[in-house]
Amino acid sequence: MKKGYWGDFGGRFVPELLIPPLLELEKAFEEIVPSRAFREEFDGLMRDFVGRPSPVYRCGRLSEEVGLNLYLKREDLNHTGAHKINNTIGQGLLTKHMGKKILLAETGAGQHGVATATAATMLGLECVVYMGATDVERQSYNVRRMLQLGAKVVPIESGTKTLKDAINAALRTWIADQQSTHYCLGTAAGPHPFPSMVKEFQSVISREAKRQMKEKTGRLPDVVVACVGGGSNAIGTFADFIKEKGVRLVGVEAAGTGEAGCANSAPLNLGSPGVLHGTRTMLLQTEDGQIMGSSSIAAGLDYPGVGPEHSYLHATGRAEYGMIIDDEAVDAFHRLSRAEGIIPALESSHAVAWVLKHASELQGKDVLVCLSGRGDKDIDIIEEAKSKTEKAKEEKAKEAKEKEGRR
């Protein structure tokens, strides 16, 4: 397969000014990351700072309720509360080995921003985080965490004020300050070598999960499920299982509100091939190639594109990709919280919701879900959604009563 490509997807489609830092990064990724010195330092930080290995937990009560064996890979138990820290420690350490001083990042749900700020502080680097203004408002808890860690948070007011616009701003800044800055891309998308590099640092999830499932059950899981926005947790969860043809791989995209024609974040199911943020992949776009706005109750899934390897796995049929609407994710958020005492991120709730929705076809199976993050950050969103639902019910009851009175 051509370097930096998965079939027809991937590549490096960027302005000429971005080629030098990408070539520099590719060289560093190929020469520094495999070195014994880097691996020993990285593995030590994963163990002692991040808290790896994260456990695999069998959900006893929920498994009994739905008739399958549901296992969670607990990335929510990592330091900072999500899988994002695996990648930011890796890229932060690489930045230090490259002699650069500033970590530049973008974030949607804020977890990548918190993880980047954490890695930067621990490694003695400066940190600047770009974030859509809409996401700054709906993920204010994580914004406060980034500020506490010493990061500079820059709200982006252009476009849809979400992750896509934050990435655009970060790429422009990187062009202007290549000498001292590394752009710590948070997902397995973007121009080569970012998709390969993020997969490398996140593949620790599947390496651990494979070993842990064998220890617990004596075999590999029947099904592996992960939510997909840009796709970093999913590609990390799939990585070591891709070659295991007997393991069914399922990515779960966000389908928005579920209303006819609603905005969504499901480019693999509802998009077409195109170029965004330096890579050729599946996108939400108009017939003339204009990028469409995306939407999801989970800020971390709110992106109109997806990592190129997911597009390849979808095109070849090695992985399948389902869709879950906002209400289904919220329901899964509540069911896991109340059955198991684990509050999942709304992003991860999409993966749990897919399993609950397909429980009848998964009876008796061993199903592994990547719980990519914890849901503390989403409590305000859940309460707002509950308030809207109750208000809608009240208005519907009022209309019915008035209609009955007119008869």
Side-chain angles (χ1 to χ4, degrees), residues 254-296:
T257 64
E259 298 167 348
C262 72
N264 61 80
S265 301
L268 290 167
N269 282 282
L270 304 173
S272 57
V275 172
L276 177 65
H277 295 143
T279 192
R280 186 174 191 276
T281 189
M282 293 294 286
L283 303 174
L284 297 174
Q285 58 185 334
T286 62
E287 289 185 358
D288 57 357
Q290 296 300 310
I291 301 301
M292 298 169 63
S294 56
S295 178
S296 171

Side-chain angles (χ1 to χ4, degrees), residues 264-382:
N264 61 80
S265 301
L268 290 167
N269 282 282
L270 304 173
S272 57
V275 172
L276 177 65
H277 295 143
T279 192
R280 186 174 191 276
T281 189
M282 293 294 286
L283 303 174
L284 297 174
Q285 58 185 334
T286 62
E287 289 185 358
D288 57 357
Q290 296 300 310
I291 301 301
M292 298 169 63
S294 56
S295 178
S296 171
I297 193 170
L301 303 184
D302 197 343
Y303 183 58
V306 66
E309 189 171 1
H310 285 295
S311 295
Y312 175 73
L313 294 174
H314 176 256
T316 57
R318 176 61 191 96
E320 59 189 279
Y321 293 85
M323 292 191 289
I324 286 296
I325 65 172
D326 292 345
D327 285 350
E328 292 170 328
V330 170
D331 179 64
F333 179 97
H334 290 306
R335 288 184 69 180
L336 184 63
S337 298
R338 292 169 187 173
E340 300 293 340
I342 297 170
I343 301 177
L346 272 171
E347 289 77 15
S348 312
S349 299
H350 283 70
V352 176
W354 185 91
V355 175
L356 298 177
K357 189 174 182 177
H358 293 81
S360 61
E361 68 180 79
L362 300 173
Q363 292 295 293
K365 302 287 188 183
D366 290 343
V367 181
L368 175 69
V369 170
C370 179
L371 199 71
S372 57
R374 66 187 187 211
D376 312 40
K377 66 185 181 60
D378 296 318
I379 295 296
D380 290 344
I381 297 173
I382 290 293

Side-chain angles (χ1 to χ4, degrees), residues 114 139-150 153 380:
V114 170
Q139 296 291 346
S140 61
Y141 172 67
N142 275 338
V143 172
R144 296 197 296 274
R145 294 172 73 192
M146 286 180 252
L147 295 174
Q148 176 62 32
L149 289 162
V153 180
D380 290 344

Side-chain angles (χ1 to χ4, degrees), residues 1-2 4-11 192 195-196 199 308-309 312:
M1 196 173 292
K2 189 178 175 183
Y5 279 83
W6 291 267
D8 294 331
F9 302 103
H192 176 68
S196 298
K199 179 184 180 183
E309 189 171 1
Y312 175 73

Side-chain angles (χ1 to χ4, degrees), residues 171-232:
L171 285 170
R172 283 194 295 271
T173 300
W174 196 28
I175 288 175
D177 190 9
Q178 304 171 12
Q179 296 302 315
S180 62
T181 300
H182 169 65
Y183 176 27
C184 184
L185 188 59
T187 194
H192 176 68
F194 281 112
S196 298
M197 187 165 59
V198 174
K199 179 184 180 183
E200 168 66 27
F201 293 134
Q202 294 293 4
S203 61
V204 64
I205 301 172
S206 57
R207 285 199 301 275
E208 289 179 1
K210 199 171 180 180
R211 172 176 55 77
Q212 291 165 321
M213 287 299 291
K214 283 182 177 177
E215 289 172 355
K216 284 183 176 293
T217 69
R219 56 195 290 272
L220 296 177
D222 298 299
V223 189
V224 173
V225 187
C227 64
V228 177
S232 66

